[in-house]
């Protein structure tokens, strides 16, 4: 990715990072029964913060990519329109400005290629999809955790309660990782496709002639 980064907690607030490094793993204590349950609760808080950090990153990245996409597309429309109008104006005024139309059209095509190569338009849509998926997973986890807390576990072995709660935490960790890996894989595939297309187009361009070499007939 587009990579995947998260916010790290600093003091009383969050400091955004440009890399998804994750939060520090909480310190766990296992001395008494109360300490073990507290450690499980610390893990629950940690995994929820991991999900929220990932969502925050994708939403922030989406905002930037969407803005860039709109700017590029706006410029492309202006250039393409100008390139189309110039020959008409030249024909109407008998001015020799038709060649400028090709310049503006070429610039518009360059903007389109820039957007495609860097994936601005598709990247922000992937970001919002990933953020929504993570939001859904987090809500599902919170509902399951609430049901677990409301469950009557009187007389139930402590180990069974811990294992059940750890299973919920582990499930959310796996889902977060799955969404991040899937989005990163999509980005990598799109980037390689754009790079390959750029290389193919570059290879199709005519090679420059050496100085003094006769032109082909």
């Amino acid at each position: 990715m587009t990579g995947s980064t998260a916010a790290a907690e600093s003091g009383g607030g969050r400091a955004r990072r440009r890399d998804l490094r994750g939060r520090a793993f909480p310190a766990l204590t296992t001395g008494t029964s109360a300490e073990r349950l507290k450690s499980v609760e610390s893990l629950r808080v940690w995994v929820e913060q991991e999900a929220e950090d990932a969502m925050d990153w994708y939403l922030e990245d989406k905002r930037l990519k969407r803005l860039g996409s709109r700017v590029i597309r706006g410029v492309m429309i202006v250039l393409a329109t100008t390139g189309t109008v110039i020959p008409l104006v030249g024909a109407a005024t008998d001015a020799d400005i038709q060649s400028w139309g090709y310049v503006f059209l070429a610039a518009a095509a360059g903007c389109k290629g820039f957007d495609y190569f860097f994936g601005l338009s598709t990247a922000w849509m992937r970001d919002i999809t990933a953020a929504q998926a993570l939001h859904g997973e987090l809500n599902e986890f919170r509902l399951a955790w609430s049901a677990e807390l409301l469950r009557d576990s009187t007389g139930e072995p402590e180990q069974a309660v811990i294992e059940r709660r750890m299973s919920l935490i582990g499930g959310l960790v796996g889902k977060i990782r799955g969404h991040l890996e899937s989005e990163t894989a999509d980005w990598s595939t799109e980037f390689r496709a754009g790079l390959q297309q750029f290389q193919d187009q570059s290879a199709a361009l005519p090679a420059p002639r050496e100085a003094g070499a006769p032109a082909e007939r």
Side-chain angles (χ1 to χ4, degrees):
M1 251 200 78
T2 127
S4 303
T5 73
E9 194 166 8
S10 175
R14 294 179 183 175
R16 293 192 180 279
R17 294 179 176 177
R18 295 305 301 169
D19 296 315
L20 238 183
R21 302 175 184 178
R23 291 174 177 260
F25 198 77
L28 307 179
T29 54
T30 60
T32 65
S33 175
E35 288 176 339
R36 287 190 290 272
L37 290 175
K38 184 178 179 180
S39 294
V40 174
E41 176 65 15
S42 297
L43 290 173
R44 192 272 306 170
V45 173
W46 170 77
V47 74
E48 285 193 8
Q49 290 173 339
E50 285 282 290
E52 289 176 348
D53 287 347
M55 284 191 299
D56 288 344
W57 187 90
Y58 278 117
L59 290 174
E60 177 66 15
D61 190 63
K62 177 218 61 170
R63 185 184 68 82
L64 297 174
K65 294 288 177 59
R66 183 175 61 180
L67 176 61
S69 174
R70 287 179 173 178
V71 170
I72 288 294
R73 287 182 175 272
V75 172
M76 181 176 65
I77 292 172
V78 171
L79 291 173
T81 302
T82 305
T84 304
V85 170
I86 283 179
L88 300 178
V89 174
T93 60
D94 199 25
D96 187 18
I97 59 174
Q98 283 82 354
S99 59
W100 282 103
Y102 294 107
V103 173
F104 280 95
L105 290 175
C111 289
K112 182 177 180 180
F114 181 90
D115 181 40
Y116 178 80
F117 182 77
F118 289 99
L120 295 179
S121 297
T122 55
W124 75 264
M125 289 186 284
R126 287 201 317 271
D127 284 341
I128 192 63
T129 299
Q132 289 176 342
L134 288 167
H135 185 261
E137 300 290 2
L138 182 57
N139 284 341
E140 184 178 339
F141 169 81
R142 285 171 171 167
L143 287 174
W145 190 266
S146 298
E148 168 61 28
L149 294 180
L150 295 173
R151 178 174 179 169
D152 184 9
S153 56
T154 304
E156 190 174 1
E158 175 198 346
Q159 186 62 29
V161 175
I162 292 177
E163 289 179 357
R164 192 166 57 244
R165 295 181 181 181
M166 288 299 298
S167 177
L168 291 175
I169 293 171
L172 182 56
V173 169
K175 290 175 181 178
I176 293 173
R177 185 180 66 247
H179 286 301
L180 298 184
E181 290 178 351
S182 175
E183 194 278 330
T184 303
D186 290 342
W187 172 85
S188 179
T189 299
E190 182 180 301
F191 180 79
R192 286 197 298 267
L195 184 61
Q196 183 62 47
Q197 183 180 23
F198 178 77
Q199 292 174 342
D200 292 343
Q201 291 176 346
S202 298
L205 294 176
R209 292 187 295 108
E210 296 182 1
E216 294 184 1
R217 295 185 178 179

